[in-house]
Amino acid sequence: MSSTDEEIMEATYRVLVESGYSDLSIRRIADEFDGSQSLIYYHYDDKEDLLAGFLAYMLDSFERELAATEADDPVDRLRAVVELIIPQRENPEHLSFQQTLEEIRTQTPYHDRYRDQFDELDARLASELEATIRRGLDDGTFVGVDPTEAADRLIILMIGVTARYVPMRDWDGLERGQAVVEREIESWQRE
Amino acid sequence: MSSTDEEIMEATYRVLVESGYSDLSIRRIADEFDGSQSLIYYHYDDKEDLLAGFLAYMLDSFERELAATEADDPVDRLRAVVELIIPQRENPEHLSFQQTLEEIRTQTPYHDRYRDQFDELDARLASELEATIRRGLDDGTFVGVDPTEAADRLIILMIGVTARYVPMRDWDGLERGQAVVEREIESWQRE
């Protein structure tokens, strides 16, 4: 990725965090990184092309964050992954960004290229969770859990908590939702 | 509600099912019900006012559907409520409509009036589920469940399943998600 590309992606991130998906435009991104609109059009065909590129860039950064997660213990590792997805009320930037990602997810029926990126993201997330749960079963941390099913269930809970409470700005609800996810992980542990 | 109002609401429903929230406009709604745009503006100030009215209309219709649910057995009643929220793959109209509702839910940070309607919808749904779970505890169908927490968890799962699979058009995933919800309800039952 060229440094201009990188700057465009970072500017896109800032615009999304500041004003959400519906206000995203090539003009706003150009303003944000002090470049010209024509420079952006040199790199991307249109807004859809740019946003599909941005989602791929986010997937790469999610991969790097997963790789940088040092927690080795299966429970700690699951908690670390949960924190990458469900934003904390103390972190307004992550709240806004996950809010925007949910907005874009609802646009996937109209944009196949966005859908492909979310497919990859969900698959990557599922395989990470499944591998961690499997390791927890092997080392005796977890007991009596089907790893595929439990990973699926955890993703549904994480998306449910984010989609239900974050757009509504319901921070008490968000904390209750986080506790639901925490109890789910606890329920897999050997008594 | 006047019959013109009712016609406007029905036309709004059809436009949302056909083309989603982002394509919604007063013009499209006027075309859909063979009325004029000025007739719509006589009833509603603008698109936001109309959509807030539409969400209230949907809440009323959700109330009527709940009241019409004849299932008396707590498990059957929970299943009936779940079916009002999570669409079946065989029902394209319900799939499109729930897809659109999720789109509008992600717009609540920018529209307080939409947020108020979703707040009411979620509260109504939570109280219905909680009352049903409580009844199941009283008659011995369920055991060892906290009704408030279980209702919360069920709503998170329902929104998670809808938000994860419906926009992605992942019908196999949708069925797996429905099975997750079904197993959740089963887990509350006396062995």
Side-chain angles (χ1 to χ4, degrees), chain A residues 180 183, chain B residues 130 133 145-154 184 188:
Chain A
V180 165
R183 276 195 299 275
Chain B
E130 209 180 307
I133 296 166
V145 184
D146 176 306
T148 311
E149 197 184 299
D152 231 30
R153 194 179 165 85
L154 196 54
E184 176 71 21
W188 303 339

Side-chain angles (χ1 to χ4, degrees), chain B residues 22-34:
Chain B
S22 34
D23 272 2
L24 189 75
S25 66
I26 300 282
R27 176 193 296 266
R28 284 262 350 234
I29 297 168
D31 287 350
E32 184 69 36
F33 91 116
D34 265 345

Side-chain angles (χ1 to χ4, degrees), chain A residues 1 15 41-43 48 53 59 82 91 114 119 121 173 177 187:
Chain A
M1 179 169 268
V15 173
Y41 281 117
Y42 179 78
H43 288 258
E48 184 181 52
L59 185 59
V82 168
N91 189 340
Y114 303 171
D119 265 337
L121 177 68
S187 76

Side-chain angles (χ1 to χ4, degrees), chain A residues 63-81 84 128 132 135:
Chain A
E63 292 280 0
R64 279 195 304 275
E65 282 171 324
L66 281 182
T69 302
E70 289 181 357
D72 207 42
D73 170 75
V75 172
D76 291 344
R77 191 163 184 91
L78 290 181
R79 285 187 184 134
V81 177
L84 291 178
E128 174 69 31
T132 307
R135 207 152 47 73

Side-chain angles (χ1 to χ4, degrees), chain A residues 95-146:
Chain A
L95 280 169
S96 294
F97 185 66
Q98 293 303 101
Q99 150 70 31
T100 295
L101 269 194
E102 285 310 309
E103 273 182 70
I104 304 174
R105 187 188 281 273
T106 66
Q107 297 308 306
T108 50
Y110 321 113
H111 301 277
D112 288 349
R113 294 183 62 197
Y114 303 171
R115 176 159 58 193
D116 292 345
Q117 294 299 328
F118 278 98
D119 265 337
E120 273 197 56
L121 177 68
D122 290 351
R124 184 65 191 83
L125 184 57
S127 80
E128 174 69 31
L129 294 173
E130 206 178 311
T132 307
I133 296 165
R134 215 174 280 282
R135 207 152 47 73
L137 285 164
D138 289 346
D139 75 8
T141 307
F142 300 136
V143 68
V145 183
D146 176 306

